[in-house]
Amino acid sequence: MNFSFSDVKQPEEGTRKKSKVREWIEAALFAVVAATLIRTFIFEAFVIPSASMEKTLLINDFIFVSKISYGPRIPITPLAWPFTHHTLPFTRNTPPFSTAVQWPYTRLPGFSSIQRNDVVVFNYPCGDTVLKTITGDDEDYYTNMRSLGAEYVHKNYPPAITRPVDKRENWIKRCIAIPGDTLQIIDGIVYINHIPTASPEHFEARYYVTMPDKKELSDSMRDVLGTDHIQRATRDSGMFIYNLTTANIDTLKSMGATVKRYVYDAFADSRVFPFDTKHYEWNEDCFGPLYIPRKGSTVTLDTLTLPFYSRIIDTYEHNTLRVVNGKIYINNQETNTYTFKMDYYWMMGDNRRESMDSRFWGYVPEDHVVGKAWIIWMSIHHNRIRWGRLFSAIE
């Protein structure tokens, strides 16, 4: 076969080579689309903002959250700027999304379902309505309404902001109970289905500590233990209160210290779910028993049980709920039962005394679940890298 350069097809007249600017724009668009798909369907990066999960997760741990573990959630609010959440960067309250299009909750198949003791990232259930401070920070609308009263809130705050499910603040906690479980907390110990649960490896709680010399722990000893002094228990008693892990307790006992768990006595805490102190004398250490709703299960409703499920019925599952003369009406039909449309979960922090969790706002619906905390890829403390935490799996 004879071949010559004349056989090579030449570009048609008028065809122009792409400019460098166009090549960069196309490459940037491809990168944005690819990163958005990865962030939506495979994994997403988060940073730990608070001490509620210490010592399992520390402030400024940077983690990857697996969305394929439980199945990626299809965006409920698809019209949004890439890589943004509920507020446009460098603004106080400008939303980077539009609610003109809202898709129904759908989750693709995953590798597993949520198991007890999984560390889970989810949208804050009560984040559907928030109040903005003068600095642009979020405050919990429902907590303020209960503690301050509607008149004070409406007079002293700007109008409340509402957010769709997938644009509510992201929180991270440990799943303590799954659908169908019965949960109870007795003297700070969690019972699931009437069986006491084992604490996570790095679980942290408050304890009374009395050293042999009746003195406070030295700064160097607190550094070794990784704990902070909380407060003196009583004047001149030599007893102090510290946040401690199980390993800390063993260390202190080997030094001759007396260590006793700090728990609240039985009293009704108005901050605690279901916010009915007249009928439930519950607090963060004495709580329950409480049923965790499972999809398809039916509960009996009356004026005593309704506080547990009212938010599920009218907010999470979008029914019209009214109580008239002690009678319960759902979608204008009188009833004394309710069948759940979704699964629900109970989330708590490993640092129980410093955790605002399900004890204070109730259940986490399945459509709020973002993914499973997977791995710590970076950790920083005082501008220094915590090398020992890099690329460690989250247990």
Side-chain angles (χ1 to χ4, degrees):
M1 175 184 288
N2 294 327
F3 174 82
S4 68
F5 286 105
S6 62
D7 295 323
V8 178
K9 187 175 181 180
Q10 301 296 319
E12 298 179 4
E13 286 189 23
T15 301
R16 295 181 180 179
K17 184 179 179 180
K18 294 180 182 179
S19 67
K20 290 293 184 182
V21 173
R22 181 178 174 183
E23 289 180 354
W24 277 103
I25 291 174
E26 290 180 351
L29 288 174
F30 175 81
V32 168
V33 171
T36 299
L37 291 174
I38 291 172
R39 184 173 183 262
T40 301
F41 296 105
I42 302 178
F43 67 85
E44 187 174 355
F46 289 91
V47 61
I48 303 302
S50 72
S52 69
M53 284 296 293
E54 289 190 351
K55 295 292 196 282
T56 304
L57 293 170
L58 307 179
I59 295 175
N60 286 336
D61 275 351
F62 293 78
I63 69 172
F64 284 133
V65 175
S66 169
K67 297 190 173 182
I68 58 176
S69 293
Y70 307 135
R73 181 181 60 184
I74 300 299
I76 297 171
T77 312
L79 302 180
W81 285 103
F83 314 121
T84 60
H85 191 43
H86 55 61
T87 304
L88 201 64
F90 311 112
T91 68
R92 287 186 177 180
N93 56 9
T94 303
F97 58 86
S98 170
T99 55
V101 176
Q102 292 277 277
W103 290 343
Y105 165 63
T106 306
R107 190 177 295 276
L108 300 179
F111 293 116
S112 67
S113 58
I114 298 177
Q115 304 297 312
R116 296 187 197 97
N117 290 321
D118 281 359
V119 180
V120 180
V121 172
F122 54 92
N123 298 118
Y124 177 45
C126 291
D128 60 328
T129 309
V130 298
L131 298 170
K132 283 289 186 180
T133 66
I134 193 170
T135 60
D137 296 327
D138 286 359
E139 285 194 8
D140 191 293
Y141 171 81
Y142 300 100
T143 299
N144 282 346
M145 288 289 282
R146 285 191 297 268
S147 60
L148 302 176
E151 183 179 351
Y152 181 90
V153 168
H154 294 151
K155 181 179 179 180
N156 292 277
Y157 285 90
I161 296 173
T162 58
R163 291 170 179 161
V165 170
D166 55 343
K167 297 303 179 182
R168 296 168 192 174
E169 194 67 52
N170 291 312
W171 284 41
I172 183 167
K173 305 290 179 186
R174 190 178 296 276
C175 178
I176 300 299
I178 59 177
D181 283 345
T182 296
L183 173 139
Q184 189 170 11
I185 305 174
I186 302 174
D187 293 336
I189 305 299
V190 175
Y191 289 71
I192 301 297
N193 302 324
H194 311 294
I195 299 172
T197 61
S199 299
E201 180 182 358
H202 301 293
F203 171 82
E204 191 171 51
R206 286 187 186 179
Y207 292 85
Y208 293 110
V209 176
T210 305
M211 298 301 291
D213 59 5
K214 307 290 186 180
K215 292 183 179 179
E216 183 181 353
L217 293 177
S218 65
D219 291 343
S220 59
M221 188 62 197
R222 290 202 301 272
D223 288 341
V224 169
L225 296 175
T227 187
D228 293 323
H229 166 245
I230 303 301
Q231 65 189 61
R232 183 187 294 271
T234 58
R235 183 180 296 275
D236 301 326
S237 68
M239 183 184 293
F240 295 86
I241 302 173
Y242 298 93
N243 268 357
L244 301 174
T245 64
T246 302
N248 293 157
I249 296 170
D250 294 339
T251 300
L252 290 171
K253 285 184 176 179
S254 70
M255 299 168 60
T258 300
V259 183
K260 180 183 177 182
R261 182 73 175 267
Y262 177 101
V263 295
Y264 286 133
D265 294 329
F267 75 96
D269 188 342
S270 61
R271 302 174 304 153
V272 167
F273 182 83
F275 321 113
D276 183 358
T277 55
K278 180 179 178 181
H279 299 104
Y280 301 100
E281 291 189 353
W282 294 4
N283 59 55
E284 56 189 280
D285 286 333
C286 301
F287 189 98
L290 178 72
Y291 173 71
I292 311 302
R294 179 172 54 197
K295 182 179 180 179
S297 63
T298 301
V299 292
T300 301
L301 295 180
D302 55 35
T303 53
L304 284 178
T305 60
L306 187 61
F308 296 118
Y309 309 119
S310 59
R311 185 168 174 82
I312 289 178
I313 295 168
D314 65 7
T315 302
Y316 302 147
E317 301 195 353
H318 312 294
N319 299 285
T320 300
L321 173 65
R322 294 185 300 119
V323 179
V324 181
N325 297 325
K327 296 181 179 180
I328 299 170
Y329 295 83
I330 298 177
N331 300 326
N332 297 320
Q333 296 293 320
E334 184 181 351
T335 184
N336 61 358
T337 63
Y338 184 76
T339 301
F340 300 103
K341 301 174 185 176
M342 287 193 292
D343 285 331
Y344 292 83
Y345 302 88
W346 194 264
M347 307 289 183
M348 292 174 63
D350 286 359
N351 184 0
R352 298 282 162 81
R353 283 284 179 221
E354 306 297 328
S355 177
M356 184 64 66
D357 51 39
S358 283
R359 293 170 294 176
F360 298 94
W361 34 259
Y363 314 101
V364 175
E366 65 173 82
D367 66 347
H368 285 56
V369 173
V370 175
K372 182 178 183 179
W374 174 39
I375 194 172
I376 301 170
W377 63 272
M378 175 61 71
S379 184
I380 298 175
H381 180 60
H382 292 163
N383 296 321
R384 295 184 179 181
I385 296 175
R386 302 182 182 109
W387 293 102
R389 299 186 63 79
L390 267 59
F391 299 104
S392 56
I394 299 170
E395 301 293 341

